[in-house]
Amino acid sequence: MTKITAAITAVGGYVPETKLTNFDLEKMVDTNDEWIRSRTGISERRILKEPGKGSSDMAVPAIEEILRKKNLDPKEIDCIICATVTPDMVFPATANIIADKVGATNAWGYDLSAACSGFLFALSTGAMYIESGRFKKVIVVGVDKMSAIVDYTDRTTCIIFGDGAGAVLLEANEDGLGVQDSILKSDGSGRNFLHMKAGGSVKPATAETVAAREHFAFQEGQAVFKFAVKGMADVSAELLERNNLTGDDIAWLVPHQANLRIIDATANRMGLDKEKVMINIQKYGNTTAATLPLCLWDWENQLKKGDKIVLAAFGGGFTWGATLLTWAY
Ligand code: UT7
C-alpha cells in the first residue's frame, strides 16, 4: 500500500491594516526605536483595532484566501484546528466560530493551546489525521490577537507582540512530499516565566485581579530568552541529525519570530546561511501562533516543490519543537 504523507497544498494569511510602530511606542512607554530594533529586530507590528473583532476575524480571511486559491467549497473541509492563546472567548472554541463564519458546515474542530509553538503542534496533529487516511482536507490555522492581552504600560512586553493569522491546507500526498518528521517538547515547570496570572480556574477574574493588571501576558524576558535559544537550536539540530541532513540540504528555516537574536542562534547551530532564513519580525513582531504560517505566506512564491524546510518554534509552557517538511508545490 502506498504510504500517505500530509502535504501543505495552500497557504493563506491576514494581518490587520493598523500599524503600531516603534515610534508610536516611544510615546506610550519609556523606550526607543534603537533599543527595540537592536534587542529584538522589530520595527512595527499590526494591531486589530476595531471594537468587537477577535481572533476569528483574522483567521477567517486567511482561510478564505485558501478557499479562493484552491477553488474549494468550504463544505469540503473535514477539520479545522485553531492554534491560539487569544480565543474569541474562553469557550466555545474559536475553531467552531471560524467554521461557522467560513461556512465549513461539515467540519469538526477544536482549539489547541501551545502558545508560540501552537502552529507547530497543530500542524503535527493535523498531519496525523491525513496520514491515517481518516480525513482528506484539514485546515490548520495559527492566530493571535496579542493586543487583547498585552499591557501597553509594560515596556518589556508591549514592544514585542502583534496581531495576525496564517493558515495552511493539509491534503494527502502519495509522492512522499509534505510533513516528514517532528520533535515536539513541553515542560510545564517553565509555566511561571511566561503566562497570564489570572482569568483561569486557579485565579478567576475579580476586581482585584483586574486592578493588579493580571489579565495581561507576563514574561520574564531574560529567562525565556535563555530557554528559547537553547530549546529551539537543540531540537532543530537534533531533527537534522536524525534525518541525516546538514544545513546544506535545507532550503529554508522557518523560525518562530520572537527575537532576531534567537533566530540567528538557531540558524548558526544548524549551519545555515542567513539567506535561507525567513525573517519578517521587523514588520509583524511576535504574533505568537501566527508567526510560522505568516512566514510561509510571505515566502510562498519563492518556495519550490521538493524544498526541504525546517519549521522551529519556542513558547510559553514551555513548549518547543521543530518539524521537517518537503514542499509539495
Ligand atoms: O515568543 C515566546 C517566547 N518569547 C521569547 O522568546 C522572548 C524572549 N526574550 C526576549 O526576547 C528578550 O528577553 C526581551 C526582548 C524581552 C528583552 O531583551 P533583553 O535583552 O533580555 O533585555 P533585559 O530584560 O535584559 O533588559 C535590559 C535592560 C534593562 O535595563 P537595566 O536593568 O539594564 O538598566 C531593562 O529595564 O533594558 C531595559 N529595558 C528596556 N529599555 C528600553 C527593558 N525593556 C526595555 C524597552 N526599552 N522596551
Side-chain angles (χ1 to χ4, degrees):
M1 220 172 91
T2 323
K3 188 175 176 241
I4 297 173
T5 48
I8 293 176
T9 57
V11 182
Y14 176 82
V15 288
E17 297 265 304
T18 304
K19 291 177 183 173
L20 180 68
T21 67
N22 291 351
F23 299 103
D24 296 327
L25 286 166
E26 282 183 2
K27 294 176 205 137
M28 297 159 67
V29 287
D30 180 15
T31 191
N32 61 79
D33 173 60
E34 204 283 323
W35 191 96
I36 301 171
R37 275 191 294 108
S38 63
R39 296 287 179 128
T40 68
I42 303 168
S43 295
E44 59 188 36
R45 27 351 253 131
R46 300 300 183 95
I47 303 295
L48 185 65
K49 278 203 97 145
E50 291 75 20
K53 298 272 182 197
S55 288
S56 71
D57 297 295
M58 295 188 286
V60 165
I63 294 169
E64 284 175 343
E65 185 183 336
I66 290 178
L67 298 176
R68 265 196 318 276
K69 279 178 175 168
K70 299 293 285 182
N71 197 17
L72 198 70
D73 182 338
K75 293 190 176 60
E76 288 180 62
I77 301 170
D78 295 309
C79 176
I80 296 176
I81 308 175
C82 176
T84 188
V85 289
T86 50
D88 281 16
M89 310 172 205
V90 173
F91 74 92
T94 302
N96 304 154
I97 299 168
I98 295 168
D100 178 52
K101 288 185 176 175
V102 300
T105 47
N106 292 317
W108 67 294
Y110 55 92
D111 291 358
L112 192 152
S113 173
C116 299
S117 309
F119 180 80
L120 206 63
F121 285 19
L123 180 68
S124 205
T125 309
M128 286 187 249
Y129 293 136
I130 297 286
E131 287 159 8
S132 72
R134 184 77 176 78
F135 298 108
K136 300 271 180 270
K137 292 185 184 352
V138 174
I139 294 274
V140 175
V141 56
V143 57
D144 270 301
K145 183 187 166 186
M146 293 306 291
S147 62
I149 59 165
V150 162
D151 181 351
Y152 287 100
T153 65
D154 174 9
R155 69 175 182 173
T156 68
T157 51
C158 73
I159 54 142
I160 304 171
F161 294 106
D163 302 341
V168 299
L169 174 66
L170 291 176
E171 291 182 284
N173 187 282
E174 294 189 355
D175 300 321
L177 303 172
V179 176
Q180 306 293 319
D181 193 13
S182 291
I183 300 176
L184 305 174
K185 309 242 183 199
S186 56
D187 177 359
S189 70
R191 62 190 174 279
N192 292 330
F193 295 111
L194 179 49
H195 64 163
M196 191 190 286
K197 293 182 186 300
S201 56
V202 169
K203 210 182 211 193
T206 61
E208 287 73 30
T209 62
V210 172
R213 311 187 78 78
E214 289 180 339
H215 296 273
F216 294 117
F218 168 86
Q219 173 173 257
E220 277 185 39
Q222 270 191 18
V224 178
F225 185 90
K226 279 185 205 141
F227 276 101
V229 166
K230 187 166 167 19
M232 221 161 94
D234 278 357
V235 281
S236 304
E238 189 186 339
L239 188 70
L240 289 191
E241 212 173 286
R242 87 174 185 194
N243 285 278
N244 297 313
L245 299 169
T246 69
D248 292 342
D249 301 307
I250 300 303
W252 294 101
L253 169 66
V254 189
H256 172 50
Q257 311 281 308
N259 188 312
L260 199 50
R261 291 178 290 151
I262 301 173
I263 296 173
D264 288 344
T266 305
N268 283 341
R269 182 73 184 284
M270 293 170 73
L272 276 186
D273 298 340
K274 226 172 166 177
E275 305 77 65
K276 291 179 168 185
V277 184
M278 294 187 191
I279 296 169
N280 58 16
I281 191 171
Q282 70 285 356
K283 54 179 182 171
Y284 303 145
N286 181 350
T287 54
T288 303
T291 59
L292 300 185
L294 279 176
C295 281
L296 294 175
W297 185 54
D298 273 349
W299 266 263
E300 189 186 16
N301 291 338
Q302 294 181 56
L303 303 178
K304 291 195 255 350
K305 189 173 178 176
D307 277 354
K308 287 193 167 49
I309 299 177
V310 171
L311 293 90
F314 186 93
F318 292 126
T319 55
W320 69 106
T323 289
L324 174 67
L325 61 87
T326 314
W327 200 247
Y329 63 98

